[in-house]
Structure formats: C-alpha cells, structure tokens
Amino acid sequence: MATAEAIVAALVLGLLSAAFLVNFFRVKLDPREPPVIQPKIPLIGHIIGLMRDGASYFEKISAQTKSPIVTLPILNSRTYVVLSPSMAQHIMRSPATLSFDPIVVEMTPRMVGASNATKEIIRDAKAKLENRKPMLDTSHEIINPPLNAGRIGGISAVQLHLFSDAVNAISDGSTIELFRWVTRTVTASAMKTFYGPENPFALNPQLIEDFWKWDAGMPTFLLGLLPNLTCREAYQGLENCVAGFVDYIEKGRINQAYCLLQERNKLHDTFGISTSEKARLEMGIAFGFNSNASITTFWVLNNIFSRPDLLAEIRQEVESNALVSPDTISYTCLKNSCPLLNSVMRETLRMTSPMLTPRFVTADTIIADTYLLRAGSVVQIAGGVLHTSTSTWGPDATSFNPHRFLHTPSGTRSSPSGAIPNPSSSSKDDAVNPAAFRAFGGGLHLCPGRYFAQMEIASLAAVMAMAFDFEPPEGQERVAFDPPVDAKAIPVGTLKPTRQLHVRVKRRQGMEGVRWVLRYE
Ligand code: HEM
C-alpha cells in the first residue's frame, strides 16, 4: 500500500512539475496577436511537426484556420505564419521593423561554418553608434546593381557560351542522369562566369561534387545540428570548397571575378575579415549562383519533355520566335517572344519553390491595422500554401498548368475546366495578386539574381528542347519522368527530386550535325 501511495504521489508530483514547466515556458500572448494554433504536444509540438513534414506542415496549419496570419507558440517564443497573399504584401511593406538582416546574420555563419567573430562583423552593431551604414546595407549596394536586367548582358554571354559548349559536348545516344547533368553543368558554368577561368571548381572539378554534398546537408547546417558530427560528408564537402577558395583568394585570382565579387572582397577586407573566413562567405554567395536555378532547370526539362504536346509547342515557339539562324537561339527573343516557355518556367517555380521568406520582428509592429507582431519573433510567409491555394489559382492549383502564366507574369486564375481565360475575355478578378508568387521572395530583398536565373533556365531548356529527344535508357520501356518532389524537406530553396531520372539523349533527326549557339541579344 505504502509503495502504491508513493507511486501515485510521484506521478502527481511529476504531472504537477510538467504542468508548472509548460506554464513557466508558455509564451505570454497578447490578444491582438494573430490567432493562435496550439500544438498537440505543448511547447515543442510545432517543432516536431516542422521536422516531420517540412514546409508541408504549414498546409496542415492552413487547413485549421481561415485567418490570413497565425501564431505558432514554440517553446517560450512564437513564430507567425502568413497564409494569404495580401498579408504577405503587408509584411513586405514593413522592412523597417520586419527585417531580413538579423536572419542573414544568424543563418549565413551557420550555413558556411563561419566563426562567431565573423558573425559579429556581419551584425555590425557599432554602425548605429558610429553613425554609418551597416555592413549588410553596403553589401546589398555592391551585389544588387550588377545583377540588374540592364547589366547582365556580359555575364550572360559568358554563361550562354559555356552552356552551348556543354550541350554540344553531349555524345549522341548517351544516357545521362538528368538532375546530375543539369546541376553540374550549371555549377561549372556559373563558377567560371562569376569567378573566372581559374576558379577553384575549374582547377579541381571534384569541388563541384563537394559543393552538392554540402548543398544536400543544408538543413542540418541551418538548424545548427552539429554538421561536423551529424552529416560528415556535407561538412567535408564544405571544408574542401573553402580550402579551394582560400587558395583562390591567396593567389589573387579574385581579381578575375565579376565586379560585384571583387567589390565584396574589398568590403570584407575593410572589415578585417580573415582570408579563411572570406573563403567561407564565398560559399554563401556561390549557393545563390548554383543551387536554385539549376534545380529549377531540371524541373523545367522534366515538365516539358514529359508532355509530348507541350514539347512540340515549345519547339514551335522557339523555332518561330527565337531561332535567329539555323543553329542560334537568342535569349532576348526567348524572353520577349516566347510566352509559353516563360509560363512553363514560372509555373515550374510555383510548383517547386515554396520559399518561406523569413523576417525578424525588430520592434512591436501592428500589421494590416489589425495584428500585433511582437519584437523578437520570426514571421514567415508560407510560400507552399500561397502557391497551392485554390482560391488564388483556381481549382487546379495543385497541378502543373503550362498556360497559367501565359498572359501575365503574375499568373491568371484557371477556370473549373483548368483553362486559363485569355485577356480579352478575362475579368480583373482572374488576375492573380503578384504577392501570391513567392519563388523569388519579395520586397526589399526580392532575389536580385532573378534576371540571370531566368536567362539560364529559359536558355538551357530551349536549347535542350531544340537539340534532343529524350528516350528511355537501355532496358527501360519508357522514361521515368516526374520523380516525386521532396515535399517534406525544410525548404531551404527549390525542392529536389527524391529519385534519379535517367534519359537517353538522342540528337533530333535532321539536326545531328548542328553545333548549337546560345546568345544573349
Ligand atoms: C531559380 C533561381 C532562384 C530562386 C528561386 C531564388 C530565390 C531567392 C529567394 C527566395 C531569396 C530571398 C528573398 C526574400 O527573402 O525576399 C533570394 C535572395 C537572393 N538571391 Fe536568389 N534565387 C535564385 C537564383 C539566384 C541567382 C542565380 C543569384 C545570383 C546570380 C541569386 C542571388 C541572390 C541573392 C544575392 C539574394 C539575397 C538578397 C538580399 O539579401 O537582399 N539568386 N533568392
């Protein structure tokens, strides 16, 4: 009996202490904050959900509410999640207190394994006291203008030349794993274009593989889960690339790089960042150059080649409007005169880039004249939810519709049959709010590389469509298109396929001898 009483007492005590701990840690919410979605397991339920379901967890959250923004209590803090395009617009219009910079300060060093000292340099807390621009503002001013649409002609020409060489080098009838071929081709080319012919990846091509090993471990790096112990391959990949960049900087080869990289290197020198730490920061920007655009190109190729009718239409469009001589494709014509190709590219981004565009709340902020966002919290825009909302895109929101962006870069709502109304018959209500398309983020930090990225994706897709048929590899009856998207991944960027896709690349009949030229103008 005494033992039973002791057990009951211990259980009661345990429950009381658990209740005390939950209450002690439970975040104190203000009634003006967005509606709260309580997790099933107190304190950590949302963390478990996010780890388990990745970005698709937000779809589960969205199904529980009609509110345009919600509060998720996590431990003794909260995260706000935006679930509507108009609320996303409000968030993007408040960069003074909903800032990307603290996220960059926290995440960049984790991503590239930089030291705390570098983190503090990036934070540049003294800037205000010293009455000068913070380092990240200057960095922004260095990086963004040379990536503007009007200034990328030179680097685009280099990149397109390298793409043409890579396409012409494919031997007729060979079998390639498409994801690997595209990502490695784009990486090798972009590194040459941005860092010059003696870039570390050109001198040691094994670093291209190391880069992608690192890329595969990115969620672990960003979550700070001790990548040196928990994902050794990705960690070693990063360290190898960093060593390559150290050598590159020490040998003065950064002087061969595109202007923004040279200026950025000088800025890092001004702030006293050491060579090894500068090398790590190069990996941060190389991620921007290499990752999302190449993964998107893979999906665009999959989406076009898996639909014979679409492939025929795209070939017709390119041939009529962008083939400026029998072997030459002009990107300017692809951009201006190939609406179907551009629509396919944006639709592909909608389906595979559920970006979260996080912002840190630096001071209490009332948003949309209604909701209080508390200082010290993070607000994220659930790109996946916005990209698949039937009320925004129409009843076929979760499927690929190549015509969705045919008439406008923001997209048009589909009819119940899946048709996209053409502009003459469509009403204003059919136009999709531009804030619903989240692939390139938005506001002050809207991706500055988007013009370059679209040039890469459209050009590589067009030349592959013109040059090749994709046939099943030997022993396979058909090409295994449409590998499932890794929807449960924490969306660090464009989602990857969950399996390989092998294709036999056959030159098109009558075009066997063409040496393709991609040019910018
Ligand atoms: C399909 C390809 C790409 C996608 C989907 C993409 C997406 C994004 C997104 C979502 C952001 C954050 C925006 C925000 O928080 O509002 C971003 C930022 C950025 N991207 Fe891209 N990106 C792509 C390609 C590129 C390329 C090719 C470059 C460089 C040439 C690049 C350079 C950058 C830079 C420097 C930033 C940071 C902007 C800032 O801090 O203000 N991106 N990108």
Side-chain angles (χ1 to χ4, degrees), residues 262-340:
Q262 294 193 36
E263 290 305 311
R264 184 168 170 270
N265 182 58
K266 285 181 202 151
L267 177 73
H268 291 165
D269 283 340
T270 316
F271 278 82
I273 301 180
S274 69
T275 300
S276 61
E277 291 288 300
K278 284 197 299 185
R280 290 187 182 277
L281 296 179
E282 291 310 328
M283 287 298 286
I285 199 158
F287 178 78
F289 298 152
N290 295 335
S291 191
N292 293 332
S294 59
I295 302 171
T296 307
T297 309
F298 162 80
W299 286 118
V300 169
L301 289 172
N302 173 79
N303 291 340
I304 293 175
F305 277 90
S306 59
R307 295 169 173 81
D309 293 350
L310 180 60
L311 176 61
E313 277 185 83
I314 294 276
R315 282 176 174 165
Q316 180 62 52
E317 185 180 70
V318 173
E319 202 170 322
S320 308
N321 304 324
L323 199 65
V324 289
S325 73
D327 59 0
T328 304
I329 299 171
S330 146
Y331 171 63
T332 307
C333 296
L334 291 178
K335 181 175 66 165
N336 297 331
S337 311
C338 294
L340 181 60

Side-chain angles (χ1 to χ4, degrees), residues 110-436:
R110 286 189 193 196
M111 181 179 174
V112 300
S115 68
N116 276 335
T118 302
K119 181 171 168 180
E120 290 316 309
I121 293 175
I122 300 174
R123 191 192 311 280
D124 198 7
K126 281 198 202 136
K128 226 180 193 166
L129 295 172
E130 293 171 0
N131 205 17
R132 59 173 172 76
K133 233 179 253 171
M135 182 199 182
L136 278 177
D137 284 9
T138 313
S139 184
H140 210 243
E141 287 166 10
I142 287 173
I143 293 170
N144 288 20
L147 292 174
N148 277 346
R151 288 187 57 186
I152 56 165
I155 45 170
S156 297
V158 178
Q159 184 83 340
L160 291 175
H161 179 74
L162 295 165
F163 280 178
S164 313
D165 282 352
V167 168
N168 292 326
I170 296 179
S171 59
D172 195 9
S174 60
T175 295
I176 57 173
E177 198 287 300
L178 192 62
F179 182 79
R180 193 185 158 78
W181 183 83
V182 176
T183 50
R184 275 45 172 190
T185 297
V186 173
T187 305
S189 308
M191 294 304 284
K192 267 197 192 131
T193 298
F194 283 99
Y195 286 99
E198 293 179 311
N199 76 77
F201 292 27
L203 298 184
N204 175 9
Q206 181 53 39
L207 293 185
I208 299 177
E209 297 311 317
D210 284 320
F211 174 91
W212 284 97
K213 283 178 190 163
W214 170 61
D215 185 280
M218 195 58 70
T220 312
F221 279 87
L222 290 177
L223 292 170
L225 299 176
L226 302 175
N228 53 333
L229 301 176
T230 57
C231 57
R232 295 283 312 159
E233 237 200 0
Y235 177 79
Q236 197 50 54
L238 170 67
E239 294 306 308
N240 294 346
C241 294
V242 168
F245 270 121
V246 167
D247 184 55
Y248 175 81
I249 297 169
E250 278 175 354
K251 300 225 162 81
R253 292 179 176 141
I254 189 88
N255 298 332
Q256 303 172 356
Y258 187 42
C259 59
L260 71 85
L261 294 168
Q262 294 193 36
E263 290 305 311
R264 184 168 170 270
N265 182 58
K266 285 181 202 151
L267 177 73
H268 291 165
D269 283 340
T270 316
F271 278 82
I273 301 180
S274 69
T275 300
S276 61
E277 291 288 300
K278 284 197 299 185
R280 290 187 182 277
L281 296 179
E282 291 310 328
M283 287 298 286
I285 199 158
F287 178 78
F289 298 152
N290 295 335
S291 191
N292 293 332
S294 59
I295 302 171
T296 307
T297 309
F298 162 80
W299 286 118
V300 169
L301 289 172
N302 173 79
N303 291 340
I304 293 175
F305 277 90
S306 59
R307 295 169 173 81
D309 293 350
L310 180 60
L311 176 61
E313 277 185 83
I314 294 276
R315 282 176 174 165
Q316 180 62 52
E317 185 180 70
V318 173
E319 202 170 322
S320 308
N321 304 324
L323 199 65
V324 289
S325 73
D327 59 0
T328 304
I329 299 171
S330 146
Y331 171 63
T332 307
C333 296
L334 291 178
K335 181 175 66 165
N336 297 331
S337 311
C338 294
L340 181 60
L341 178 64
N342 288 292
S343 178
V344 166
M345 176 166 60
R346 291 182 82 76
E347 176 69 342
T348 301
L349 282 161
R350 184 184 73 87
M351 300 292 288
T352 55
S353 291
M355 307 315 199
L356 292 175
T357 33
R359 300 293 185 259
F360 189 77
V361 187
T362 57
D364 282 3
T365 302
I366 298 285
I367 204 82
D369 294 329
T370 311
Y371 300 109
L372 171 67
L373 306 186
R374 297 299 302 273
S377 315
V378 171
V379 52
Q380 319 202 42
I381 298 168
V385 173
L386 268 59
H387 281 180
T388 53
S389 151
T390 49
S391 60
T392 300
W393 302 99
D396 66 347
T398 53
S399 344
F400 179 84
N401 184 334
H403 302 123
R404 203 182 296 281
F405 294 86
L406 202 53
H407 307 304
T408 147
S410 309
T412 314
R413 189 200 317 273
S414 56
S415 70
S417 70
I420 301 294
N422 83 41
S424 52
S425 63
S426 68
S427 77
K428 234 176 93 194
D429 294 346
D430 295 325
V432 169
N433 180 341

Side-chain angles (χ1 to χ4, degrees), residues 460-471:
L460 202 44
V463 73
M464 291 296 281
M466 291 307 291
F468 299 110
D469 289 318
F470 284 179
E471 294 182 350

